Amino acid sequence: MNKYKVLLFDLDGTISDSKEGITKSVQYALKKLGIEEDDLNNLEPFIGPPLQESFRAFYSFTEERVNLAIEYYRERFKIKGMFENKLYPDIVELLHKLRTEGYILVVATSKPTEFAEKILLHFNISQYFNVIVGSNLDGTRINKTEIIEHILNQFNEFDKSCFLMIGDRKHDIIGARNTGIDSLGVTYGYGSHMELQQENATYIVHSVEEIKEILNRIGENDGFFCLSDKHSEEKTR
């Protein structure tokens, strides 16, 4: 048996390296708003957080300008940007092993659900996930706390101790903490070890292979095994 049962995976920077598609789409949006940004590396901070948050934080856009920037971003992203993307090495093997071992896998991303679904289909990995949860195109449910809460409500037969959020940015760790679940930060994406450590990630790993290793180690060394609320109640009767 496993300590955790439901594993929540961030998409950008955790399952796939989406730098090219995201940064080029941000660059396109900025250019349409009269801002030239030639160095895509300067736009890396847009990978992971909600676009609304990033355009406000990095360019001090008004709400109206933020909405316009997102509209322009999506013009390019939905046609080309979402496919300028590549899976991290060993991620398919990891997902296959986890499903074989009985884990419930969920995508938890700030990217609109519609785009996330198309990306997973493009890479032929959607079959590994029980649920894909992202933001709404109308700008609602954009932060990780809301997204994780939505997932917890869908799997309310499990205690919160059965969930683990896996992601590369502080937003993943903060969302997990706000909703009372454990987190696993990965440094192979776009968040640093310091960023993840400062937010008190429950675990931190440096490669896809280490995700599997640490899950095995937790299961072997921890006396707690995940039980649904129903089973827990039956056990105490």
Side-chain angles (χ1 to χ4, degrees):
M1 294 178 70
N2 303 309
K3 174 173 180 177
Y4 300 106
K5 180 63 177 178
V6 187
L7 304 182
L8 283 57
F9 279 84
D10 173 48
L11 180 53
D12 299 323
T14 303
I15 292 175
S16 68
D17 184 350
S18 51
K19 176 183 176 178
E20 181 181 0
I22 290 176
T23 56
K24 284 185 176 180
S25 297
V26 172
Q27 183 186 53
Y28 171 87
L30 292 174
K31 186 172 184 178
K32 293 201 73 168
L33 291 169
I35 300 171
E36 294 289 340
E37 179 52 79
D38 297 324
D39 189 349
L40 294 178
N41 291 326
N42 292 335
L43 300 176
E44 278 190 11
F46 276 83
I47 305 171
L51 289 172
Q52 290 89 336
E53 177 183 321
S54 297
F55 279 120
R56 277 195 297 266
F58 304 130
Y59 291 94
S60 301
F61 283 176
T62 62
E63 196 65 28
E64 182 180 355
R65 205 159 170 78
V66 164
N67 292 334
L68 192 56
I70 292 172
E71 182 182 329
Y72 290 148
Y73 172 92
R74 288 176 179 169
E75 276 183 5
R76 185 185 188 281
F77 187 80
K78 65 185 179 182
I79 295 172
K80 189 174 183 180
M82 72 171 72
F83 306 117
E84 295 170 323
N85 199 349
K86 57 186 177 182
L87 294 178
Y88 284 109
D90 302 323
I91 197 71
V92 175
E93 291 79 3
L94 172 68
L95 297 174
H96 178 75
K97 285 181 180 179
L98 294 176
R99 278 303 297 263
T100 301
E101 292 174 9
Y103 288 99
I104 294 171
L105 306 185
V106 179
V107 170
T109 176
S110 293
K111 185 183 299 300
T113 304
E114 179 181 319
F115 295 165
E117 289 172 343
K118 289 179 180 178
I119 291 167
L120 296 175
L121 282 170
H122 173 73
F123 285 122
N124 194 30
I125 57 171
S126 59
Q127 69 272 19
Y128 295 115
F129 297 98
N130 296 69
V131 180
I132 300 166
V133 179
S135 60
N136 298 317
L137 286 170
D138 64 4
T140 57
R141 201 176 68 204
I142 62 171
N143 68 59
K144 278 293 165 73
T145 299
E146 294 173 316
I147 289 162
I148 295 172
E149 284 177 345
H150 184 78
I151 293 166
L152 293 177
N153 289 333
Q154 290 194 49
F155 293 95
N156 59 14
E157 70 270 27
F158 293 108
D159 185 82
K160 286 185 177 182
S161 58
C162 296
F163 294 80
L164 180 68
M165 177 70 221
I166 303 170
D168 69 313
R169 298 300 308 273
K170 66 180 182 180
H171 306 78
D172 302 304
I173 311 306
I174 293 169
R177 185 173 66 246
N178 288 345
T179 53
I181 69 172
D182 286 351
S183 59
L184 190 157
V186 303
T187 63
Y188 59 79
Y190 289 90
S192 67
H193 187 280
M194 181 178 293
E195 175 181 329
L196 299 169
Q197 190 174 48
Q198 285 178 339
E199 298 302 336
N200 297 313
T202 313
Y203 317 98
I204 298 177
V205 301
H206 308 291
S207 67
V208 172
E209 184 178 350
E210 282 187 70
I211 296 175
K212 186 66 180 71
E213 290 175 358
I214 200 165
L215 287 171
N216 284 339
R217 192 159 65 247
I218 293 164
E220 291 171 357
N221 298 335
D222 200 303
F224 171 83
F225 295 108
C226 177
L227 294 171
S228 70
D229 287 343
K230 179 180 177 183
H231 289 162
S232 298
E233 290 171 4
E234 291 174 348
K235 189 174 180 180
T236 57
R237 286 175 185 170

